[in-house]
Amino acid sequence: MQQERNRIQRGKKVCYFCKEEETPDYKDVVTLKRYISERGKIVNRARTGVCYKHQRGLSNAIKRSRYMALLPFSVSVR
């Protein structure tokens, strides 16, 4: 019973791109940075709440922006 009171119920995550009715674009670096971890990895769908269709486009957009040198491939950690 104690565990049930401490458990926080979360609502279902809604896809940002479906809600805003837009697609991931490699030139929109500010939006793409939201979906990259502090180590430079692409964050998975379970953590971001992006739908399957937009996650595929998002990963391609991140890879393109890395190739165009708009985003770093990795972050140097000291």
PDB file of all heavy atoms in Angstrom, residues 16-42:
ATOM      1  N   TYR A  16       6.076  15.281 -30.154  1.00  0.00           N
ATOM      2  CA  TYR A  16       6.209  16.722 -30.373  1.00  0.00           C
ATOM      3  C   TYR A  16       5.919  17.078 -31.821  1.00  0.00           C
ATOM      4  O   TYR A  16       5.264  18.077 -32.103  1.00  0.00           O
ATOM      5  CB  TYR A  16       7.628  17.156 -29.998  1.00  0.00           C
ATOM      6  CG  TYR A  16       7.968  18.566 -30.419  1.00  0.00           C
ATOM      7  CD1 TYR A  16       7.511  19.647 -29.684  1.00  0.00           C
ATOM      8  CD2 TYR A  16       8.727  18.815 -31.551  1.00  0.00           C
ATOM      9  CE1 TYR A  16       7.818  20.947 -30.069  1.00  0.00           C
ATOM     10  CE2 TYR A  16       9.034  20.102 -31.937  1.00  0.00           C
ATOM     11  CZ  TYR A  16       8.575  21.161 -31.194  1.00  0.00           C
ATOM     12  OH  TYR A  16       8.867  22.440 -31.577  1.00  0.00           O
ATOM     13  N   PHE A  17       6.393  16.271 -32.758  1.00  0.00           N
ATOM     14  CA  PHE A  17       6.240  16.584 -34.171  1.00  0.00           C
ATOM     15  C   PHE A  17       4.808  16.374 -34.652  1.00  0.00           C
ATOM     16  O   PHE A  17       4.330  17.114 -35.515  1.00  0.00           O
ATOM     17  CB  PHE A  17       7.220  15.760 -35.001  1.00  0.00           C
ATOM     18  CG  PHE A  17       8.651  16.065 -34.678  1.00  0.00           C
ATOM     19  CD1 PHE A  17       9.403  15.207 -33.904  1.00  0.00           C
ATOM     20  CD2 PHE A  17       9.239  17.229 -35.126  1.00  0.00           C
ATOM     21  CE1 PHE A  17      10.714  15.500 -33.598  1.00  0.00           C
ATOM     22  CE2 PHE A  17      10.550  17.534 -34.827  1.00  0.00           C
ATOM     23  CZ  PHE A  17      11.288  16.669 -34.051  1.00  0.00           C
ATOM     24  N   CYS A  18       4.100  15.403 -34.089  1.00  0.00           N
ATOM     25  CA  CYS A  18       2.680  15.217 -34.429  1.00  0.00           C
ATOM     26  C   CYS A  18       1.854  16.369 -33.875  1.00  0.00           C
ATOM     27  O   CYS A  18       0.949  16.874 -34.539  1.00  0.00           O
ATOM     28  CB  CYS A  18       2.162  13.901 -33.878  1.00  0.00           C
ATOM     29  SG  CYS A  18       2.822  12.452 -34.702  1.00  0.00           S
ATOM     30  N   LYS A  19       2.176  16.792 -32.662  1.00  0.00           N
ATOM     31  CA  LYS A  19       1.425  17.864 -32.016  1.00  0.00           C
ATOM     32  C   LYS A  19       1.614  19.192 -32.750  1.00  0.00           C
ATOM     33  O   LYS A  19       0.657  19.932 -32.961  1.00  0.00           O
ATOM     34  CB  LYS A  19       1.878  17.990 -30.561  1.00  0.00           C
ATOM     35  CG  LYS A  19       1.091  18.991 -29.749  1.00  0.00           C
ATOM     36  CD  LYS A  19       1.497  18.963 -28.302  1.00  0.00           C
ATOM     37  CE  LYS A  19       2.876  19.564 -28.156  1.00  0.00           C
ATOM     38  NZ  LYS A  19       3.295  19.704 -26.764  1.00  0.00           N
ATOM     39  N   GLU A  20       2.835  19.490 -33.168  1.00  0.00           N
ATOM     40  CA  GLU A  20       3.137  20.749 -33.850  1.00  0.00           C
ATOM     41  C   GLU A  20       2.902  20.669 -35.359  1.00  0.00           C
ATOM     42  O   GLU A  20       3.057  21.669 -36.054  1.00  0.00           O
ATOM     43  CB  GLU A  20       4.592  21.159 -33.587  1.00  0.00           C
ATOM     44  CG  GLU A  20       4.904  21.432 -32.132  1.00  0.00           C
ATOM     45  CD  GLU A  20       4.154  22.622 -31.600  1.00  0.00           C
ATOM     46  OE1 GLU A  20       3.972  23.603 -32.343  1.00  0.00           O
ATOM     47  OE2 GLU A  20       3.738  22.571 -30.430  1.00  0.00           O
ATOM     48  N   GLU A  21       2.589  19.466 -35.856  1.00  0.00           N
ATOM     49  CA  GLU A  21       2.344  19.219 -37.283  1.00  0.00           C
ATOM     50  C   GLU A  21       3.518  19.669 -38.147  1.00  0.00           C
ATOM     51  O   GLU A  21       3.369  20.412 -39.110  1.00  0.00           O
ATOM     52  CB  GLU A  21       1.055  19.897 -37.738  1.00  0.00           C
ATOM     53  CG  GLU A  21      -0.174  19.340 -37.064  1.00  0.00           C
ATOM     54  CD  GLU A  21      -1.448  20.010 -37.525  1.00  0.00           C
ATOM     55  OE1 GLU A  21      -1.387  20.911 -38.384  1.00  0.00           O
ATOM     56  OE2 GLU A  21      -2.508  19.628 -37.018  1.00  0.00           O
ATOM     57  N   GLU A  22       4.715  19.216 -37.779  1.00  0.00           N
ATOM     58  CA  GLU A  22       5.909  19.502 -38.563  1.00  0.00           C
ATOM     59  C   GLU A  22       6.758  18.247 -38.628  1.00  0.00           C
ATOM     60  O   GLU A  22       6.469  17.250 -37.968  1.00  0.00           O
ATOM     61  CB  GLU A  22       6.702  20.666 -37.973  1.00  0.00           C
ATOM     62  CG  GLU A  22       7.165  20.463 -36.554  1.00  0.00           C
ATOM     63  CD  GLU A  22       7.915  21.674 -36.028  1.00  0.00           C
ATOM     64  OE1 GLU A  22       7.382  22.781 -36.135  1.00  0.00           O
ATOM     65  OE2 GLU A  22       9.017  21.473 -35.512  1.00  0.00           O
ATOM     66  N   THR A  23       7.782  18.284 -39.456  1.00  0.00           N
ATOM     67  CA  THR A  23       8.682  17.150 -39.600  1.00  0.00           C
ATOM     68  C   THR A  23      10.077  17.562 -39.132  1.00  0.00           C
ATOM     69  O   THR A  23      10.426  18.736 -39.185  1.00  0.00           O
ATOM     70  CB  THR A  23       8.761  16.682 -41.069  1.00  0.00           C
ATOM     71  OG1 THR A  23       9.178  17.786 -41.874  1.00  0.00           O
ATOM     72  CG2 THR A  23       7.411  16.168 -41.542  1.00  0.00           C
ATOM     73  N   PRO A  24      10.889  16.610 -38.686  1.00  0.00           N
ATOM     74  CA  PRO A  24      12.251  16.939 -38.265  1.00  0.00           C
ATOM     75  C   PRO A  24      13.067  17.459 -39.448  1.00  0.00           C
ATOM     76  O   PRO A  24      13.037  16.880 -40.534  1.00  0.00           O
ATOM     77  CB  PRO A  24      12.817  15.605 -37.772  1.00  0.00           C
ATOM     78  CG  PRO A  24      11.639  14.743 -37.519  1.00  0.00           C
ATOM     79  CD  PRO A  24      10.561  15.206 -38.424  1.00  0.00           C
ATOM     80  N   ASP A  25      13.768  18.566 -39.245  1.00  0.00           N
ATOM     81  CA  ASP A  25      14.565  19.177 -40.297  1.00  0.00           C
ATOM     82  C   ASP A  25      16.004  19.286 -39.825  1.00  0.00           C
ATOM     83  O   ASP A  25      16.257  19.716 -38.696  1.00  0.00           O
ATOM     84  CB  ASP A  25      14.004  20.563 -40.631  1.00  0.00           C
ATOM     85  CG  ASP A  25      14.683  21.187 -41.834  1.00  0.00           C
ATOM     86  OD1 ASP A  25      15.246  20.442 -42.650  1.00  0.00           O
ATOM     87  OD2 ASP A  25      14.653  22.425 -41.941  1.00  0.00           O
ATOM     88  N   TYR A  26      16.955  18.928 -40.681  1.00  0.00           N
ATOM     89  CA  TYR A  26      18.356  18.928 -40.274  1.00  0.00           C
ATOM     90  C   TYR A  26      18.893  20.335 -40.031  1.00  0.00           C
ATOM     91  O   TYR A  26      19.895  20.506 -39.348  1.00  0.00           O
ATOM     92  CB  TYR A  26      19.218  18.197 -41.308  1.00  0.00           C
ATOM     93  CG  TYR A  26      19.445  18.951 -42.604  1.00  0.00           C
ATOM     94  CD1 TYR A  26      20.570  19.732 -42.787  1.00  0.00           C
ATOM     95  CD2 TYR A  26      18.521  18.871 -43.646  1.00  0.00           C
ATOM     96  CE1 TYR A  26      20.785  20.413 -43.970  1.00  0.00           C
ATOM     97  CE2 TYR A  26      18.716  19.546 -44.819  1.00  0.00           C
ATOM     98  CZ  TYR A  26      19.852  20.311 -44.988  1.00  0.00           C
ATOM     99  OH  TYR A  26      20.053  20.997 -46.160  1.00  0.00           O
ATOM    100  N   LYS A  27      18.225  21.354 -40.555  1.00  0.00           N
ATOM    101  CA  LYS A  27      18.686  22.736 -40.354  1.00  0.00           C
ATOM    102  C   LYS A  27      18.203  23.332 -39.037  1.00  0.00           C
ATOM    103  O   LYS A  27      18.727  24.341 -38.587  1.00  0.00           O
ATOM    104  CB  LYS A  27      18.205  23.609 -41.514  1.00  0.00           C
ATOM    105  CG  LYS A  27      18.826  23.216 -42.849  1.00  0.00           C
ATOM    106  CD  LYS A  27      18.198  23.973 -43.981  1.00  0.00           C
ATOM    107  CE  LYS A  27      16.926  23.257 -44.350  1.00  0.00           C
ATOM    108  NZ  LYS A  27      16.304  23.750 -45.567  1.00  0.00           N
ATOM    109  N   ASP A  28      17.212  22.707 -38.410  1.00  0.00           N
ATOM    110  CA  ASP A  28      16.669  23.200 -37.145  1.00  0.00           C
ATOM    111  C   ASP A  28      17.464  22.605 -35.982  1.00  0.00           C
ATOM    112  O   ASP A  28      17.041  21.654 -35.331  1.00  0.00           O
ATOM    113  CB  ASP A  28      15.189  22.834 -37.048  1.00  0.00           C
ATOM    114  CG  ASP A  28      14.507  23.490 -35.870  1.00  0.00           C
ATOM    115  OD1 ASP A  28      15.124  24.359 -35.228  1.00  0.00           O
ATOM    116  OD2 ASP A  28      13.345  23.133 -35.602  1.00  0.00           O
ATOM    117  N   VAL A  29      18.619  23.179 -35.725  1.00  0.00           N
ATOM    118  CA  VAL A  29      19.565  22.633 -34.748  1.00  0.00           C
ATOM    119  C   VAL A  29      19.026  22.738 -33.330  1.00  0.00           C
ATOM    120  O   VAL A  29      19.255  21.853 -32.501  1.00  0.00           O
ATOM    121  CB  VAL A  29      20.932  23.344 -34.878  1.00  0.00           C
ATOM    122  CG1 VAL A  29      21.916  22.818 -33.870  1.00  0.00           C
ATOM    123  CG2 VAL A  29      21.469  23.165 -36.285  1.00  0.00           C
ATOM    124  N   VAL A  30      18.287  23.784 -33.034  1.00  0.00           N
ATOM    125  CA  VAL A  30      17.762  23.977 -31.673  1.00  0.00           C
ATOM    126  C   VAL A  30      16.826  22.832 -31.296  1.00  0.00           C
ATOM    127  O   VAL A  30      16.901  22.287 -30.189  1.00  0.00           O
ATOM    128  CB  VAL A  30      17.032  25.333 -31.575  1.00  0.00           C
ATOM    129  CG1 VAL A  30      16.414  25.512 -30.211  1.00  0.00           C
ATOM    130  CG2 VAL A  30      17.983  26.466 -31.887  1.00  0.00           C
ATOM    131  N   THR A  31      15.961  22.439 -32.203  1.00  0.00           N
ATOM    132  CA  THR A  31      15.039  21.331 -31.939  1.00  0.00           C
ATOM    133  C   THR A  31      15.786  20.003 -31.865  1.00  0.00           C
ATOM    134  O   THR A  31      15.495  19.163 -31.013  1.00  0.00           O
ATOM    135  CB  THR A  31      13.958  21.254 -33.028  1.00  0.00           C
ATOM    136  OG1 THR A  31      13.305  22.518 -33.116  1.00  0.00           O
ATOM    137  CG2 THR A  31      12.929  20.185 -32.723  1.00  0.00           C
ATOM    138  N   LEU A  32      16.753  19.807 -32.732  1.00  0.00           N
ATOM    139  CA  LEU A  32      17.491  18.541 -32.756  1.00  0.00           C
ATOM    140  C   LEU A  32      18.320  18.335 -31.494  1.00  0.00           C
ATOM    141  O   LEU A  32      18.507  17.204 -31.056  1.00  0.00           O
ATOM    142  CB  LEU A  32      18.396  18.474 -33.986  1.00  0.00           C
ATOM    143  CG  LEU A  32      17.695  18.438 -35.341  1.00  0.00           C
ATOM    144  CD1 LEU A  32      18.727  18.387 -36.451  1.00  0.00           C
ATOM    145  CD2 LEU A  32      16.733  17.283 -35.450  1.00  0.00           C
ATOM    146  N   LYS A  33      18.798  19.405 -30.886  1.00  0.00           N
ATOM    147  CA  LYS A  33      19.603  19.284 -29.664  1.00  0.00           C
ATOM    148  C   LYS A  33      18.799  18.703 -28.511  1.00  0.00           C
ATOM    149  O   LYS A  33      19.367  18.130 -27.583  1.00  0.00           O
ATOM    150  CB  LYS A  33      20.173  20.637 -29.266  1.00  0.00           C
ATOM    151  CG  LYS A  33      21.369  21.045 -30.077  1.00  0.00           C
ATOM    152  CD  LYS A  33      21.936  22.338 -29.560  1.00  0.00           C
ATOM    153  CE  LYS A  33      23.145  22.750 -30.374  1.00  0.00           C
ATOM    154  NZ  LYS A  33      23.731  24.002 -29.898  1.00  0.00           N
ATOM    155  N   ARG A  34      17.483  18.842 -28.562  1.00  0.00           N
ATOM    156  CA  ARG A  34      16.630  18.276 -27.507  1.00  0.00           C
ATOM    157  C   ARG A  34      16.669  16.753 -27.508  1.00  0.00           C
ATOM    158  O   ARG A  34      16.373  16.111 -26.501  1.00  0.00           O
ATOM    159  CB  ARG A  34      15.179  18.720 -27.697  1.00  0.00           C
ATOM    160  CG  ARG A  34      14.951  20.181 -27.483  1.00  0.00           C
ATOM    161  CD  ARG A  34      13.545  20.585 -27.782  1.00  0.00           C
ATOM    162  NE  ARG A  34      12.562  19.726 -27.150  1.00  0.00           N
ATOM    163  CZ  ARG A  34      11.271  19.713 -27.448  1.00  0.00           C
ATOM    164  NH1 ARG A  34      10.806  20.519 -28.366  1.00  0.00           N
ATOM    165  NH2 ARG A  34      10.439  18.917 -26.823  1.00  0.00           N
ATOM    166  N   TYR A  35      17.000  16.159 -28.652  1.00  0.00           N
ATOM    167  CA  TYR A  35      16.955  14.715 -28.808  1.00  0.00           C
ATOM    168  C   TYR A  35      18.333  14.082 -28.857  1.00  0.00           C
ATOM    169  O   TYR A  35      18.495  12.965 -29.320  1.00  0.00           O
ATOM    170  CB  TYR A  35      16.160  14.365 -30.072  1.00  0.00           C
ATOM    171  CG  TYR A  35      14.752  14.899 -29.998  1.00  0.00           C
ATOM    172  CD1 TYR A  35      14.386  16.066 -30.662  1.00  0.00           C
ATOM    173  CD2 TYR A  35      13.800  14.272 -29.219  1.00  0.00           C
ATOM    174  CE1 TYR A  35      13.103  16.569 -30.575  1.00  0.00           C
ATOM    175  CE2 TYR A  35      12.514  14.767 -29.112  1.00  0.00           C
ATOM    176  CZ  TYR A  35      12.183  15.913 -29.797  1.00  0.00           C
ATOM    177  OH  TYR A  35      10.911  16.416 -29.685  1.00  0.00           O
ATOM    178  N   ILE A  36      19.339  14.798 -28.347  1.00  0.00           N
ATOM    179  CA  ILE A  36      20.693  14.273 -28.259  1.00  0.00           C
ATOM    180  C   ILE A  36      21.115  14.316 -26.794  1.00  0.00           C
ATOM    181  O   ILE A  36      20.883  15.317 -26.114  1.00  0.00           O
ATOM    182  CB  ILE A  36      21.656  15.114 -29.119  1.00  0.00           C
ATOM    183  CG1 ILE A  36      21.273  15.009 -30.587  1.00  0.00           C
ATOM    184  CG2 ILE A  36      23.090  14.663 -28.927  1.00  0.00           C
ATOM    185  CD1 ILE A  36      22.128  15.841 -31.497  1.00  0.00           C
ATOM    186  N   SER A  37      21.723  13.237 -26.317  1.00  0.00           N
ATOM    187  CA  SER A  37      22.169  13.194 -24.928  1.00  0.00           C
ATOM    188  C   SER A  37      23.402  14.074 -24.743  1.00  0.00           C
ATOM    189  O   SER A  37      23.981  14.580 -25.711  1.00  0.00           O
ATOM    190  CB  SER A  37      22.493  11.751 -24.523  1.00  0.00           C
ATOM    191  OG  SER A  37      23.652  11.310 -25.198  1.00  0.00           O
ATOM    192  N   GLU A  38      23.822  14.233 -23.491  1.00  0.00           N
ATOM    193  CA  GLU A  38      24.990  15.070 -23.214  1.00  0.00           C
ATOM    194  C   GLU A  38      26.272  14.453 -23.746  1.00  0.00           C
ATOM    195  O   GLU A  38      27.271  15.143 -23.901  1.00  0.00           O
ATOM    196  CB  GLU A  38      25.115  15.332 -21.709  1.00  0.00           C
ATOM    197  CG  GLU A  38      25.359  14.108 -20.863  1.00  0.00           C
ATOM    198  CD  GLU A  38      24.078  13.388 -20.487  1.00  0.00           C
ATOM    199  OE1 GLU A  38      22.992  13.893 -20.767  1.00  0.00           O
ATOM    200  OE2 GLU A  38      24.198  12.292 -19.914  1.00  0.00           O
ATOM    201  N   ARG A  39      26.245  13.161 -24.055  1.00  0.00           N
ATOM    202  CA  ARG A  39      27.404  12.494 -24.650  1.00  0.00           C
ATOM    203  C   ARG A  39      27.377  12.528 -26.166  1.00  0.00           C
ATOM    204  O   ARG A  39      28.301  12.061 -26.819  1.00  0.00           O
ATOM    205  CB  ARG A  39      27.449  11.035 -24.192  1.00  0.00           C
ATOM    206  CG  ARG A  39      27.531  10.876 -22.708  1.00  0.00           C
ATOM    207  CD  ARG A  39      28.893  11.143 -22.209  1.00  0.00           C
ATOM    208  NE  ARG A  39      29.444   9.912 -21.698  1.00  0.00           N
ATOM    209  CZ  ARG A  39      30.699   9.769 -21.413  1.00  0.00           C
ATOM    210  NH1 ARG A  39      31.534  10.733 -21.614  1.00  0.00           N
ATOM    211  NH2 ARG A  39      31.142   8.641 -20.944  1.00  0.00           N
ATOM    212  N   GLY A  40      26.285  13.019 -26.757  1.00  0.00           N
ATOM    213  CA  GLY A  40      26.195  13.138 -28.206  1.00  0.00           C
ATOM    214  C   GLY A  40      25.435  12.012 -28.877  1.00  0.00           C
ATOM    215  O   GLY A  40      25.417  11.925 -30.103  1.00  0.00           O
ATOM    216  N   LYS A  41      24.795  11.145 -28.092  1.00  0.00           N
ATOM    217  CA  LYS A  41      24.048  10.026 -28.667  1.00  0.00           C
ATOM    218  C   LYS A  41      22.604  10.433 -28.929  1.00  0.00           C
ATOM    219  O   LYS A  41      22.045  11.293 -28.246  1.00  0.00           O
ATOM    220  CB  LYS A  41      24.052   8.839 -27.711  1.00  0.00           C
ATOM    221  CG  LYS A  41      25.410   8.241 -27.499  1.00  0.00           C
ATOM    222  CD  LYS A  41      25.307   7.042 -26.591  1.00  0.00           C
ATOM    223  CE  LYS A  41      26.646   6.388 -26.402  1.00  0.00           C
ATOM    224  NZ  LYS A  41      26.532   5.190 -25.561  1.00  0.00           N
ATOM    225  N   ILE A  42      21.983   9.774 -29.907  1.00  0.00           N
ATOM    226  CA  ILE A  42      20.576  10.008 -30.206  1.00  0.00           C
ATOM    227  C   ILE A  42      19.748   9.306 -29.130  1.00  0.00           C
ATOM    228  O   ILE A  42      19.934   8.118 -28.872  1.00  0.00           O
ATOM    229  CB  ILE A  42      20.214   9.476 -31.602  1.00  0.00           C
ATOM    230  CG1 ILE A  42      21.050  10.173 -32.675  1.00  0.00           C
ATOM    231  CG2 ILE A  42      18.736   9.658 -31.884  1.00  0.00           C
ATOM    232  CD1 ILE A  42      20.906   9.593 -34.058  1.00  0.00           C
TER     233      ILE A  42
END
